[in-house]
Amino acid sequence: FDGRDEYMGLSFNKPNQVFSGTGEGDRSIIRLAQDKSEKFHVIVVSDDNRVRNSSRAAGATVISVKKFYEFIR
């Protein structure tokens, strides 16, 4: 997750979820997508165009925050 620190407490009981925290997220998420997408199915949830485009280019599946929220509700 990339976003405001207020979301840091969210948990979906998945051991591979990552919350990057405010101000450091873009680079962390893109780096993870680049490092892990070749071996694992990586899903990036973001509305940030740079994060979305870079993650998609690395082979990750990308969905919007709205779509993710609809899915988990």
Side-chain angles (χ1 to χ4, degrees):
F1 295 93
D2 175 26
R4 291 184 243 157
D5 290 335
E6 67 188 80
Y7 300 124
M8 191 171 282
L10 291 178
S11 176
F12 302 102
N13 298 318
K14 302 294 182 197
N16 295 319
Q17 105 188 7
V18 175
F19 185 90
S20 59
T22 302
E24 58 192 63
D26 292 2
R27 286 186 301 269
S28 297
I29 291 169
I30 293 167
R31 187 172 36 257
L32 278 170
Q34 291 168 338
D35 291 347
K36 303 295 182 185
S37 289
E38 195 170 304
K39 189 173 181 180
F40 301 100
H41 182 192
V42 175
I43 301 171
V44 174
V45 178
S46 181
D47 288 331
D48 182 288
N49 284 328
R50 179 173 169 247
V51 170
R52 292 172 62 85
N53 293 336
S54 296
S55 297
R56 191 178 294 113
T61 298
V62 177
I63 62 172
S64 69
V65 173
K66 181 180 178 181
K67 292 280 185 193
F68 180 72
Y69 181 73
E70 290 170 359
F71 176 75
I72 64 170
R73 278 196 312 166

